Amino acid sequence: MTRSLALYFTDFFKVDPDLLREHGAFNVSLLSDIPLFVDPFLLFNSSRTEYQELHANILRYMAFLRDKASGEMPRDAVLKSWFVFKEVKQTWLGFSRIGNRGSGLGLKFARSLVTNMDIFFETSVARDKHLEKLCLIEDGVGRDNISDFTTNLIKEYLLRFTEDFAVKHISTQLRRTVPIERARFNYDTESWQTIDVVLPYTRGDYVILTPVDILTKDETWISRSDLIDEFANIVSAMPGDELRAQLNNYLTKALPKKTRGKDPTKKEYRDAVVATIRAFPTVLDYYVRQKEDDGDNAELASAQKVADAEAHFVQHVLRIVTALQQNTTFYADGDSAEKRLATLLAVTKQRGGASLLRDPSGSAYRREVVLELVLKLIWQAVAIDSNSAIPPFPIQCKLAQNAKFPAAIENRDGRFIATIVVAYSQSDSKEAKRSLEKIGRGNDATVVVVDAW
């Protein structure tokens, strides 16, 4: 008799996935982060009053920080009190390579907030202020930082959203009242407060649910990569011949001299655009206004991205787990990572087995981290009533089309017992094997080229 396996929130807390869907929450895995992020633009652009209020509360806290940061850079102690936040790991969102532990928002992020306060509050063209502007100009501030910051500032809402579901649908044995630090900011005392919340609780920690309609994947609606891609169009749409000429002239001069008359590399163009924006930050406001005007497409795009994430990391994974459980000894192999790996590789060689290493549409994976996460979720599924530790994922995943994979194998750390190199064409397979021969790994039993065409 096979035992029920747990991968997702509804498995661990024994609730119907349809109930969670009706509540509007994403069914996160409690084995590893799912690469989704909170996009504050979805709060701003929502027709729901509660979301608009959350966005207004974010702006209120930013105004508080601006007042505290006026003048000289605040001392580290002050930054840690008001500007620094831990990652809210209990949402199980983001892209942590191990479990659900990210780095959080440290002093570097705090200092970038202070440095760019004036840019953040500049709204001569845009209809409102947007937290995402911080990632448009500052190196090292990305979607994960913006998502973490937003999550911290709307944490009380997420806690109440989760509590509502827990009280209605989760048994008393699987929930408990938890004191949550830094859940609410008191502007009278200028301090963060602790509140008690009834939350789902398992394996020594609580879980926080997140509404599907504020999540996105890959990039937030307002993003640095989009700004750079659209820079030429943004400039051409800006009013005033003189300003446009200044921007284009500055961009040309910012490019390396050797590129004059030639097409610059992507990095050269990106660096020149960033330099131009730093010199003319008003470009940011015009870009943000364009994104505001096109805001209705933000919800459509994000909904499609979230559906794609569910297809990849929930439905596709569940199909594979079910097949492995019913047709192999994969989960019966227990703690033997070597036996599990042998079973996994054997399945890929069977008729139709290559689908294990392809995405839900049957296409080749283009990103190693996505393939690795799918395999990690499959590997780490645990018996639903077991309190045993979640088995670590001991396999390094590489794509044969990545010419740099041999270097990654050479630098493989000790937590990996093997590397699988997935080839989606015969030519990629041959080239991968030649590359392994070159580095003396052609006969290494811990490196396996897997044909998935």
Side-chain angles (χ1 to χ4, degrees):
M1 179 180 176
T2 58
R3 300 177 68 185
S4 297
L5 296 177
L7 294 89
Y8 302 100
F9 177 90
T10 52
D11 300 327
F12 282 94
F13 293 102
K14 304 177 182 179
V15 294
D16 188 333
D18 286 341
L19 289 175
L20 191 68
R21 192 173 296 110
E22 290 171 7
H23 190 65
F26 189 85
N27 195 7
V28 292
S29 170
L30 303 191
L31 305 178
S32 183
D33 280 352
I34 297 294
L36 292 171
F37 306 86
V38 175
D39 187 344
F41 188 86
L42 297 174
L43 299 174
F44 160 80
N45 201 62
S46 176
S47 59
R48 297 176 60 176
T49 302
E50 59 195 289
Y51 284 177
Q52 295 172 7
E53 290 176 352
L54 289 176
H55 191 263
N57 289 339
I58 291 173
L59 299 186
R60 182 186 181 190
Y61 190 75
M62 290 298 293
F64 168 80
L65 294 183
R66 175 194 57 191
D67 294 341
K68 295 301 177 183
S70 60
E72 298 181 0
M73 176 71 71
R75 300 187 308 275
D76 284 359
V78 173
L79 291 175
K80 289 177 181 178
S81 176
W82 291 318
F83 292 77
V84 172
F85 295 87
K86 293 180 180 179
E87 181 200 29
V88 185
K89 66 185 182 70
Q90 292 83 2
T91 61
W92 290 90
L93 299 172
F95 223 145
S96 174
R97 300 298 287 269
I98 302 175
N100 65 328
R101 297 182 179 180
S103 58
L105 303 166
L107 288 173
K108 180 180 178 181
F109 179 79
R111 294 186 182 106
S112 73
L113 282 180
V114 175
T115 302
N116 292 293
M117 276 293 178
D118 289 343
I119 293 175
F120 172 79
F121 280 97
E122 171 55 46
T123 56
S124 59
V125 178
R127 297 200 303 271
D128 208 340
K129 296 171 280 293
H130 295 271
L131 189 60
E132 306 90 294
K133 284 180 75 174
L134 297 169
C135 73
L136 298 180
I137 194 68
E138 188 71 18
D139 287 324
V141 177
R143 64 188 179 188
D144 50 347
N145 300 127
I146 298 301
S147 179
D148 284 349
F149 195 50
T150 304
T151 299
N152 271 283
L153 296 182
I154 66 170
K155 187 159 65 171
E156 183 177 11
Y157 176 85
L158 299 180
L159 292 169
R160 299 305 182 192
F161 175 78
T162 307
E163 181 179 53
D164 183 44
F165 184 84
V167 170
K168 291 178 181 176
H169 302 297
I170 295 177
S171 69
T172 55
Q173 293 83 5
L174 293 174
R175 70 186 199 224
R176 66 173 61 176
T177 301
V178 186
I180 305 296
E181 298 179 347
R182 294 173 69 90
R184 175 191 301 151
F185 191 73
N186 186 320
Y187 286 94
D188 293 329
T189 62
E190 298 186 343
S191 62
W192 285 96
Q193 296 180 325
T194 298
I195 63 174
D196 291 336
V197 193
V198 177
L199 296 172
Y201 199 95
T202 186
R203 293 177 175 267
D205 203 0
Y206 58 91
V207 180
I208 300 176
L209 296 171
T210 306
V212 170
D213 55 1
I214 64 171
L215 292 175
T216 192
K217 184 169 73 75
D218 300 325
E219 291 289 354
T220 51
W221 182 244
I222 296 172
S223 72
R224 184 168 178 150
S225 60
D226 182 60
L227 167 65
I228 292 171
D229 290 343
E230 294 296 318
F231 180 77
N233 293 330
I234 296 165
V235 173
S236 64
M238 291 175 67
D241 293 341
E242 183 177 348
L243 177 58
R244 291 197 300 272
Q246 289 176 339
L247 286 162
N248 288 321
N249 182 60
Y250 195 98
L251 178 66
T252 300
K253 289 186 176 181
L255 291 167
K257 290 182 178 180
K258 64 182 179 65
T259 66
R260 306 287 167 81
K262 302 178 182 178
D263 290 333
T265 65
K266 287 183 178 180
K267 183 180 185 306
E268 290 169 340
Y269 178 75
R270 170 191 171 281
D271 291 346
V273 168
V274 171
T276 305
I277 293 171
R278 287 185 182 279
F280 297 89
T282 187
V283 173
L284 300 179
D285 216 27
Y286 281 93
Y287 166 68
V288 169
R289 180 55 189 262
Q290 286 187 14
K291 301 302 285 186
E292 289 177 336
D293 291 343
D294 194 30
D296 288 345
N297 285 322
E299 293 182 13
L300 295 174
S302 295
Q304 182 56 52
K305 290 177 180 179
V306 173
D308 178 68
E310 182 173 10
H312 272 85
F313 305 118
V314 181
Q315 303 304 329
H316 185 52
V317 169
L318 284 173
R319 284 193 293 269
I320 296 172
V321 167
T322 301
L324 287 174
Q325 189 178 28
Q326 293 176 348
N327 303 316
T328 75
T329 62
F330 184 80
Y331 292 107
D333 290 336
D335 295 331
S336 175
E338 290 77 9
K339 286 184 179 180
R340 276 193 166 196
L341 177 58
T343 300
L344 198 67
L345 294 175
V347 169
T348 65
K349 296 177 182 177
Q350 297 172 4
R351 183 177 181 181
S355 61
L356 176 72
L357 302 170
R358 289 182 170 272
D359 72 16
S361 69
S363 301
Y365 281 105
R366 296 174 179 267
R367 298 175 62 199
E368 290 169 343
V369 290
V370 175
L371 171 60
E372 182 178 272
L373 178 54
V374 168
L375 292 180
K376 182 165 68 169
L377 290 169
I378 293 165
W379 188 281
Q380 293 185 322
V382 295
I384 197 166
D385 294 316
S386 171
N387 288 318
S388 59
I390 295 173
F393 182 63
I395 303 171
Q396 183 184 46
C397 297
K398 293 290 149 189
L399 298 179
Q401 62 195 33
N402 178 3
K404 297 180 179 179
F405 83 81
I409 293 173
E410 293 288 71
N411 296 320
R412 188 173 74 193
D413 66 46
R415 65 188 173 92
F416 296 121
I417 64 168
T419 301
I420 59 172
V421 182
V422 181
Y424 291 111
S425 69
Q426 190 172 18
S427 59
D428 279 349
S429 179
K430 290 181 179 179
E431 183 59 35
K433 291 170 182 175
R434 279 196 292 266
S435 297
L436 292 175
E437 290 287 350
K438 289 179 182 178
I439 63 172
R441 297 283 192 133
N443 296 315
D444 187 342
T446 71
V447 181
V448 184
V449 177
V450 182
D451 295 332
W453 65 81

